[in-house]
Amino acid sequence: MGEQKRKEESKSEFIFGKKNYKFLFIGLAFIVIGFILMSGGGSDDPNVFDESIYSWRRIRLAPTLVLIGFGIQVYAILLNPNKESKK
């Protein structure tokens, strides 16, 4: 009987709470937007050099968004969903 009760309790429990998943999806959105901004900038002709690969968007903005996204992911994983907020 003890084993059956343990199985029932484990089925109803998630590892993360609703707040954790919200932050996980926000972090994932930051990472996806960063990689989308980083893409492109190449030239169709290999003999022609395109300066747009050194744009501010690809060198500064996109990697910053990706790093912020990873930071949000770490925060979401470490966030304790069972902690009661002080009001």
Side-chain angles (χ1 to χ4, degrees):
M1 180 162 166
E3 186 177 335
Q4 183 180 7
K5 186 176 180 182
R6 190 172 16 145
K7 286 181 180 179
E8 289 174 5
E9 288 177 1
S10 66
K11 288 181 183 178
S12 64
E13 232 177 87
F14 287 109
I15 295 174
F16 296 127
K18 186 176 180 181
K19 195 173 183 180
N20 294 85
Y21 285 114
K22 185 174 79 169
F23 278 109
L24 281 170
F25 288 126
I26 290 170
L28 183 65
F30 268 84
I31 293 169
V32 168
I33 291 170
F35 276 108
I36 288 171
L37 290 175
M38 217 181 298
S39 68
S43 176
D44 293 333
D45 185 10
N47 296 323
V48 177
F49 182 72
D50 188 11
E51 287 286 331
S52 68
I53 62 170
Y54 297 118
S55 69
W56 181 83
R57 183 185 80 186
R58 289 188 179 95
I59 298 296
R60 301 275 187 230
L61 180 63
T64 304
L65 285 176
V66 171
L67 289 175
I68 289 171
F70 282 131
I72 293 171
Q73 294 284 9
V74 169
Y75 174 74
I77 292 170
L78 296 177
L79 184 66
N80 186 359
N82 299 326
K83 184 178 177 183
E84 294 181 19
S85 60
K86 295 178 183 177
K87 292 185 180 182

